[in-house]
Amino acid sequence: MSGSTVDLSKFNIDAPRWDQTTFVGRLKHFFNITDPRTVLVSNAALDKAKDLVDSFRAGSVPPGTTEEQLHYAKKLYDSAFHPDSGERMNLIGRMSFQVPGGMAITGFMLQFYRTVPAVVFWQWVNQSFNALVNYTNRNAASPITTKQIGVAYLTATSTALATAVGLNLYTKKAPPLLARWVPFVAVAAANCVNIPMMRQQEIISGIAVTDENDNQLGKSRNAAVKGITQVVISRVTMAAPGMIILPIMMEHVERYPFMQLDLYGSCCVFSFSSEVFYESF
């Protein structure tokens, strides 16, 4: 990579690369850390990036290291390593896997919604995916037991299945569009259960509150509730465009022969667009 050799006294590797007070800056920042291409990077390359970041934080870097190399190393580090524990996260649970993973699952849920077995299977797949993501990105300072994880997973999955199957049966004689919206209602209901249950220890014990210098002031349960509530709202909001608007569009375009050849592919294209756009918020 090209670029000038880094000046340790002027470069802050932990500061966002773009101005976070502007929408464009935040957009670039989140596109950077959720870049799906990083899931293709090998573990060896990820570990090398982590070593470079750790070396810089310790006050030394290999001679000739450029700012661009440090930016890229930090990008890989943020995409693959837990911010609290520093451990490498499983690939499926990483935020960088949200676009391809969510795109595929959303496409399947929107395409296979007519029969109860299909609804049950794809809602189970979706909730398993969500549970893994929530567990992977949990607050490491608030450990959760295996029993709590199991209860959270079973509760969220049961909620999604009950909602999806119940509404699927209820909408048998309703307009087709209402049936297409059933997956979104099930996903929204499950998120309202899955996330708080998976992060219940934070609500019980509170999360650390720090000042501007990262000095811990104590723990707050109110801050945990507020943060988890915002996560729930954002997850439902992220799912809305692809799972509400897409069915409306599909109702109109499915009458054309070229769309009937590959409905699943069409669902994936539209869901990919919505995933990419809403991952930036």
Side-chain angles (χ1 to χ4, degrees):
M1 294 183 183
S2 61
S4 58
T5 303
V6 66
D7 183 349
L8 293 177
S9 64
K10 296 181 180 179
F11 187 81
N12 183 357
I13 199 169
D14 292 308
R17 187 173 184 179
W18 296 277
D19 184 3
Q20 297 300 284
T21 63
T22 67
F23 171 77
V24 173
R26 294 192 296 271
L27 182 68
K28 290 181 178 180
H29 174 72
F30 284 104
F31 269 145
N32 187 57
I33 63 177
T34 61
D35 186 349
R37 293 174 298 178
T38 60
V39 303
L40 302 176
V41 177
S42 67
N43 287 339
L46 293 175
D47 290 337
K48 185 177 180 180
K50 183 178 186 296
D51 290 341
L52 182 56
V53 172
D54 289 341
S55 295
F56 183 88
R57 287 171 174 169
S60 64
V61 293
T65 300
T66 65
E67 288 190 13
E68 196 60 36
Q69 288 174 324
L70 285 174
H71 280 307
Y72 184 66
K74 187 59 164 54
K75 172 180 179 175
L76 295 182
Y77 178 88
D78 288 341
S79 74
F81 294 91
H82 195 283
D84 295 332
S85 67
E87 297 178 352
R88 187 169 63 241
M89 298 181 287
N90 68 80
L91 187 147
I92 297 176
R94 298 174 193 170
M95 287 295 102
S96 53
F97 192 76
Q98 285 294 287
V99 170
M103 173 191 69
I105 294 174
T106 298
F108 279 118
M109 285 194 296
L110 292 176
Q111 177 62 21
F112 303 106
Y113 67 93
R114 294 181 177 86
T115 66
V116 171
V119 169
V120 169
F121 178 75
W122 288 111
Q123 285 295 332
W124 169 74
V125 169
N126 185 54
Q127 289 312 311
S128 298
F129 176 68
N130 288 341
L132 182 57
V133 171
N134 292 333
Y135 174 74
T136 302
N137 295 277
R138 71 196 182 284
N139 188 335
S142 301
I144 184 172
T145 66
T146 303
K147 180 180 178 180
Q148 289 173 320
I149 294 172
V151 171
Y153 172 69
L154 291 176
T155 304
T157 303
S158 299
T159 301
L161 294 180
T163 303
V165 172
L167 289 178
N168 184 266
L169 296 175
Y170 182 76
T171 57
K172 284 292 185 182
K173 297 181 180 180
L177 183 59
L178 292 181
R180 286 182 178 274
W181 281 336
V182 168
F184 171 71
V185 178
V187 167
N191 271 321
C192 292
V193 175
N194 192 340
I195 297 170
M197 289 291 290
M198 191 63 72
R199 300 177 64 174
Q200 59 186 284
Q201 199 60 42
E202 298 174 38
I203 300 175
I204 296 171
S205 304
I207 59 175
V209 178
T210 62
D211 60 19
E212 63 274 11
N213 297 316
D214 289 333
N215 298 314
Q216 185 168 328
L217 304 177
K219 289 192 172 183
S220 170
R221 291 165 61 183
N222 289 336
V225 171
K226 181 179 180 181
I228 291 173
T229 300
Q230 291 175 341
V231 172
V232 171
I233 294 173
S234 68
R235 291 288 178 85
V236 174
T237 302
M238 285 166 57
M243 303 189 80
I244 293 180
I245 300 175
L246 174 57
I248 298 175
M249 299 173 65
M250 295 303 293
E251 280 291 307
H252 287 84
V253 300
E254 275 186 3
R255 67 190 67 173
Y256 299 106
F258 76 93
M259 290 297 293
Q260 295 173 4
L261 295 176
D262 187 8
L263 294 181
Y264 169 68
S266 303
C267 287
C268 280
V269 169
F270 283 114
S271 62
F272 173 80
S273 300
S274 63
E275 287 279 350
V276 168
F277 183 76
Y278 279 88
E279 275 292 332
S280 64
F281 287 90

